[in-house]
Structure formats: C-alpha cells, structure tokens
Amino acid sequence: YVTYDQPLHILQHPEYVRERTLYEMTKRINAFIKSEKASKRELARRLGTSMSQLTRLLDTTNYKKELSRLVELAALLNYEFKWEFKKAA
C-alpha cells in the first residue's frame, strides 16, 4: 500500500532529484553529441580526460559523476544549462 502523498515525497527527495537530473542531463548530452556529430575522442581531449572517463561520464546509469562535468561538456558542445524550479502540485 502506497499512501497518496508518498510519490510526491519521493519526487522531492534530494537523492532522487540528483539522480534524475544526472540521468536527464546525460541523456540530453548524448543526443547533442549525436546531432552535432561530435568526436568523443576530441571531447575527451578538450575535457582533459581519457576516453574511458568520458564513457563513464556519458553513461546514463552512472550516478557517481559531478554535475559540473556535464555542464562543462555541454558548454564544449555550445549548449547552455539552465536550472528550473517550479511549484509542486
């Protein structure tokens, strides 16, 4: 049995929000890379990291990464990150 307000509580849990944000950002960045036909090897070089590190950064199931690295990667692709808050229902 799940109480009526439990899903809202889960959605507002900081760890859930963090993981969901990392997942969505990673998914979008992967789409940007594909649409821009960007070289992952070149992106790794510009980030100053290895290909294996970039692969982990682009893995949507890896939540042990820094949000700032995703923002940096998006900037290399000429995309700007905007954070948005909205009133809970």
Side-chain angles (χ1 to χ4, degrees):
Y1 176 74
V2 177
T3 61
Y4 174 76
D5 59 348
Q6 186 177 4
L8 182 58
H9 173 72
I10 292 168
L11 290 176
Q12 292 176 343
H13 189 276
E15 191 60 27
Y16 175 83
V17 171
R18 180 186 165 283
E19 288 181 2
R20 187 70 189 171
T21 301
L22 287 172
Y23 172 81
E24 291 297 331
M25 285 184 71
T26 304
K27 192 169 126 182
R28 296 280 310 271
I29 289 172
N30 277 307
F32 297 155
I33 290 170
K34 188 174 182 177
S35 70
E36 300 287 330
K37 297 183 174 103
S39 162
K40 289 183 181 177
R41 190 167 308 282
E42 178 61 17
L43 289 172
R45 186 190 68 74
R46 291 176 64 196
L47 280 173
T49 192
S50 66
M51 279 296 295
S52 60
Q53 285 288 354
L54 180 64
T55 300
R56 283 191 285 278
L57 186 62
L58 295 174
D59 180 358
T60 56
T61 63
N62 175 17
Y63 300 112
K64 295 179 181 179
K65 55 187 160 193
E66 294 294 322
L67 184 67
S68 61
R69 290 298 272 174
L70 292 174
V71 172
E72 186 179 359
L73 182 53
L76 288 175
L77 295 164
N78 293 320
Y79 286 90
E80 180 182 343
F81 174 71
K82 289 189 177 182
W83 192 273
E84 180 182 294
F85 287 96
K86 58 184 175 182
K87 186 100 171 142

